[in-house]
Amino acid sequence: MKNNHLISKIAALSLSALLTVGSFTACSDSGSASVDSDGGNAGDNSNATYRTVEQIKESGKIVIGVFSDKAPFGYVDENGNYQGYDVYFAERIGKDLGVDIEYVSTDPASRVEYAATGKVDIVLANFTVTEERAEKVDFALPYMKVKLGVVSPDSAVVRSIDDLKDKTLIVVKGTTAETYFEKNEPDVQLQKYDEYADAYNALLQGRGDAFSTDNTEVLAWAIVNPGYTVGIDALGSADTIAPAVQKGNSSLLNWLNDEIKSLGEENFFHADYEATLASVYGSAANPDNLVVEGGVVD
């Protein structure tokens, strides 16, 4: 399948990067690698950034980048606590590492930067795997799969790309929706925002005709926002969602892969779905169409 092919290509990219780093990048006293201004590993280790699993354990804390405004995947509740599908996974990571978690709020456009520069140890922010991103960060095995969706007002439901003619489509910068429409539908007029909250507000306020992002998100949003319909619920090819770490951090990458495989044996991500998504989607989604167990995409 296409997903397996993409995962294989990404694994090859990651291995190539590791071999390259091993050939010319020395580790500092702390075992960290350095990063150049473009987020790639540099030969000079004076700006050490990533941390190995042992360093994370020794520090007693792991830093994880998540969304703070993208319910039900990553958001801050009324008590100021992070919640959601990604956060449920993050909590298990902290538990299994035996460390506390420091959450760092990220937005779609900054996810690559945060992982590539070591600002966070792991990005768990509904991060879709793409070949372009895999050149800058290392993706672990996937734990979810998605396509794009388009939500619009009931008064003018967008049910096909043709319905977007002479209309404005809202997207968030740095997302696969932005990439998809720029590459495949250049005639569609895009209105771009940095934050999901701003994008949804634009739709609610009538500043755009429709909004596109992962189908998992727009389906959930439409359920709690009467008057809006997901007229397109599966656009483009199926993509996978996976954790990301800094390029070359094989210690943390390997640990994450082993963790995802192990969690798959207990159907952890189906439990995650039941705890965080089932009440949102109800019968609107089949968990088997969204959840990936053990890093294996059906």
Side-chain angles (χ1 to χ4, degrees), residues 108-109 168-183 185-186 188-200 202 207-208 210-212:
T168 299
L169 179 67
I170 298 166
V171 296
V172 178
K173 296 176 183 177
T175 64
T176 49
E178 178 190 32
T179 302
Y180 175 85
F181 280 96
E182 287 186 338
K183 180 179 179 180
E185 304 293 342
V188 174
Q189 182 178 341
L190 301 181
Q191 186 178 111
K192 302 180 182 182
Y193 292 88
D194 291 318
E195 305 285 348
Y196 279 94
D198 293 336
Y200 279 120
R207 288 184 275 129
F211 174 48
S212 180

Side-chain angles (χ1 to χ4, degrees), residues 17-68:
L18 289 174
L19 292 173
T20 302
V21 170
S23 67
F24 68 86
T25 303
C27 290
S28 68
D29 292 338
S30 63
S32 300
S34 61
V35 172
D36 62 24
S37 59
D38 293 323
N41 290 327
D44 180 351
N45 63 9
S46 60
N47 296 315
T49 51
Y50 73 63
R51 301 190 300 160
T52 66
V53 171
E54 286 307 311
Q55 289 172 322
I56 290 169
K57 289 181 177 180
E58 289 173 5
S59 75
K61 179 181 72 175
I62 187 166
V63 183
I64 301 180
V66 295
F67 285 131
S68 60

